[in-house]
Amino acid sequence: MINMSKKQTRMPMQDPETRNQNFDEVSLGYTPEQAILEAMRCLRCRKHPCMTSGCPVHNHIPEFIAKITEGDFEEAYQVLTETTSLPAVCGRVCPQYLQCEGNCVRGKNGGRPVAIGALERFVADWHRNNSAAAEENKDAETSADSQKKVAVIGSGPASLACAGDLLNLGYKVTIFEKENVLGGVLTYGIPEFRLPKEIVKNEIDGLKKKGVKIELGKAVGKEFSLDELLDRDGFSAVFVGNGAGRPIHLGIPGQEAEGVVAAADFLAKANLENEMPKAENIIIVGGGNVAMDACRCAARIPSAKKVTIVYRRSLAEMPADPKELEEAIEEGVQVSYLTGPVAIEAADGKAVGLKCQKMSLSEPDESGRRSPVPVPDSEFIIEADLIIEAIGTKSDNSGIKGIEVSEKKGYIIADPETCESSREGIFAGGDTVTGPKTVISAMGAGKRAAKAIDEYLSK
Ligand code: SF4
Ligand code: SF4
């Protein structure tokens, strides 16, 4: 029976006044009854645009949702894992409004799409909580024995997906991670209240059970080179998935002042060391999802009195997930639209404010969004003792030698389908090739690379 309600089944959440005082997960997940009720909204469309046009890894969406309606949650999980390695992560952090849910026919004519992400998360969580023993047995069976070794550089979503598929194919895989923790952006970039570390740890534990070798604190270009991996250390192929975590700075006068930090650094400290600066008036410059994570973390600083997003364009152009923005505002974050940063105001070397100017919008630029143009004589100052730059990141491939990188942005040049780099035996994918994109697009690249590496090593 189809549930024809235009509304989604609401997922329980922490109240805004409670959650902005803690780092526990904001969304609490469906109960089995709620998941079945929501799954019954799916029409099992013949063309299933959610899957064909919406999901970058083409999860079999109507099929896994149908299994939920039957109460067969384990089978729903098995359907999902035919195409995705990290359903618990993707169900939480994919921008579903642009992808699967953005293409769902139930979202037309004033209705809300089927809550595909929430259902994916439910299934992955159910499996984790109920099927661990079965999984262990399965791992033992699938750990094959090949003498061929593959090195994976980085441990973010592209690398984890690539490593997982290579292990399933029987290769010996070693992950080299330059930090002392695994998970890349999943661990240091996304706050606990959106993606609990336990979920990421669980995914990594799955790889450990399959026999992955892990080398922490090992950076390409410092402890080893790509040549050494191939020629000296006996690896038959290398996958580079080292992400794009190097911050882009505002480039305005005064930005060296104490109290001006890049969002990537602010989030890494908060996520890894549980350490946040003491500040009362906090500004986040930027309008993307990193800005949302940063402002919601900032709202949880015990001394915070006012947290403001400064964004150069209007709400219509803002790239952030509308749900994240809504939740940030519920948690007390304010937004100053059409506001451009001009200079950091400092006293005794410490930031005390951000000089801004009003902006108006003109014709669309190359991104397709209307360009911000300064309004003459409109400068004003917003008081701030912490200013967080969330205007983007880029790759740091300075340590990568022997393969081609783009001159302008330093991204690795690799085939979008096979992930082959300019050098035989070296493959690359995810943000280090494309620039910052979504977790699921990086994961898709990791999976394509694993397939191409297998073909290359099977020649
Ligand atoms: Fe949607 Fe992401 Fe899951 Fe694909 S992987 S179905 S886009 S939540
Ligand atoms: Fe179900 Fe929506 Fe996909 Fe149709 S488009 S199969 S209703 S999830």
Side-chain angles (χ1 to χ4, degrees):
M1 195 179 60
I2 305 285
N3 169 0
M4 287 312 292
S5 170
K6 287 196 166 196
K7 291 185 184 161
Q8 287 181 345
T9 310
R10 201 170 155 69
M11 189 193 288
M13 292 172 79
Q14 285 195 68
D15 290 334
E17 300 75 35
T18 310
R19 71 186 191 232
N20 67 7
Q21 310 290 320
N22 67 57
F23 273 81
D24 297 342
E25 193 168 18
V26 167
S27 305
L28 303 174
Y30 280 148
T31 62
E33 295 72 27
Q34 288 166 333
I36 291 172
L37 189 63
E38 181 61 17
M40 284 165 59
R41 295 185 64 234
C42 175
L43 304 176
R44 303 186 198 176
C45 316
R46 199 165 47 85
K47 291 195 176 159
H48 38 69
C50 52
M51 171 180 161
T52 45
S53 318
C55 175
V57 292
H58 303 309
N59 278 345
H60 300 292
I61 294 169
E63 210 182 313
F64 99 80
I65 292 180
K67 293 293 171 197
I68 298 177
T69 63
E70 293 162 17
D72 193 347
F73 307 138
E74 180 55 29
E75 192 51 35
Y77 179 81
Q78 297 305 331
V79 171
L80 274 172
T81 51
E82 284 171 23
T83 43
T84 174
S85 327
L86 307 170
V89 174
C90 298
R92 287 172 165 84
V93 303
C94 259
Q96 288 111 9
Y97 71 106
L98 294 174
Q99 299 181 342
C100 50
E101 295 179 20
N103 285 277
C104 173
V105 298
R106 293 300 308 263
K108 313 263 183 263
N109 304 321
R112 297 281 297 129
V114 175
I116 302 166
L119 291 173
E120 182 170 339
R121 166 200 163 133
F122 166 78
V123 167
D125 289 355
W126 190 91
H127 171 82
R128 191 177 62 257
N129 296 329
N130 296 280
S131 302
E135 188 70 357
E136 266 171 29
N137 293 338
K138 193 173 144 217
D139 289 344
E141 279 166 29
T142 53
S143 295
D145 168 33
S146 162
Q147 289 313 302
K148 288 193 174 152
K149 297 198 302 177
V150 182
V152 171
I153 314 290
S155 63
S159 295
L160 293 181
C162 184
D165 282 9
L166 288 170
L167 288 163
N168 289 343
L169 289 163
Y171 293 100
K172 292 189 167 164
V173 179
T174 304
I175 292 179
F176 294 90
E177 167 56 56
K178 70 178 167 47
E179 305 294 344
N180 284 318
V181 286
L182 290 170
V185 69
L186 302 175
T187 301
Y188 60 72
I190 304 177
E192 178 79 15
F193 54 80
R194 238 169 32 91
L195 178 63
K197 302 289 159 285
E198 192 56 33
I199 303 290
V200 183
K201 184 178 170 293
N202 187 69
E203 303 291 354
I204 293 167
D205 284 349
L207 298 186
K208 287 182 180 166
K209 274 193 238 157
K210 290 177 185 167
V212 73
K213 210 172 148 205
I214 290 163
E215 301 262 357
L216 293 176
K218 296 282 172 65
V220 61
K222 284 191 181 157
E223 281 76 22
F224 60 88
S225 68
L226 296 177
D227 281 340
E228 283 166 350
L229 290 177
L230 289 172
D231 304 335
R232 184 194 68 188
D233 301 335
F235 287 97
S236 304
V238 179
F239 173 72
V240 186
N242 55 343
R246 192 166 166 192
I248 296 172
H249 297 289
L250 285 167
I252 56 175
Q255 74 164 34
E256 64 291 338
E258 193 182 319
V260 181
V261 295
D265 298 335
F266 170 74
L267 289 168
K269 272 206 173 301
N271 287 329
L272 298 180
E273 296 161 31
N274 223 353
E275 191 186 296
M276 291 204 286
K278 202 161 176 273
E280 294 188 350
N281 295 301
I282 305 161
I283 289 176
I284 294 86
V285 183
N289 285 325
V290 174
M292 295 304 119
D293 285 340
C295 75
R296 297 181 69 189
C297 262
R300 286 159 169 81
I301 294 178
S303 57
K305 289 189 174 150
K306 189 175 169 201
V307 178
T308 310
I309 294 172
V310 163
Y311 181 55
R312 296 187 308 158
R313 293 176 164 98
S314 72
L315 174 62
E317 292 79 27
M318 203 173 209
D321 184 335
K323 187 168 147 281
E324 297 299 322
L325 176 64
E326 187 188 322
E327 289 181 10
I329 291 169
E330 281 174 0
E331 290 165 12
V333 173
Q334 300 181 20
V335 190
S336 183
Y337 293 106
L338 293 167
T339 303
V342 175
I344 308 290
E345 297 284 306
D348 299 329
K350 291 184 182 165
V352 293
L354 181 68
K355 184 187 277 185
C356 300
Q357 61 191 343
K358 282 275 154 217
M359 311 297 278
S360 62
L361 294 175
S362 69
E363 294 308 305
D365 61 15
E366 68 278 2
S367 72
R369 294 177 301 167
R370 293 175 69 201
S371 307
V373 181
V375 174
D377 303 322
S378 65
E379 291 185 353
F380 63 101
I381 291 170
I382 308 177
E383 196 185 336
D385 49 354
L386 177 62
I387 298 166
I388 301 172
E389 305 163 296
I391 55 168
T393 55
K394 54 187 175 180
S395 304
D396 180 5
N397 284 322
S398 51
I400 304 268
K401 305 284 180 237
I403 55 173
E404 267 184 60
V405 297
S406 67
E407 219 168 90
K408 210 167 153 199
K409 297 196 167 166
Y411 297 140
I412 295 175
I413 297 173
D415 185 294
E417 263 315 303
T418 64
C419 301
E420 287 168 295
S421 76
S422 58
R423 176 163 174 198
E424 194 179 319
I426 298 180
F427 299 75
D431 290 2
T432 194
V433 170
T434 58
K437 292 256 192 282
T438 60
V439 166
I440 189 68
S441 64
M443 208 187 83
K447 291 178 83 67
R448 288 196 301 281
K451 187 167 172 274
I453 289 170
D454 183 45
E455 282 165 10
Y456 167 70
L457 296 179
S458 305
K459 275 181 195 161

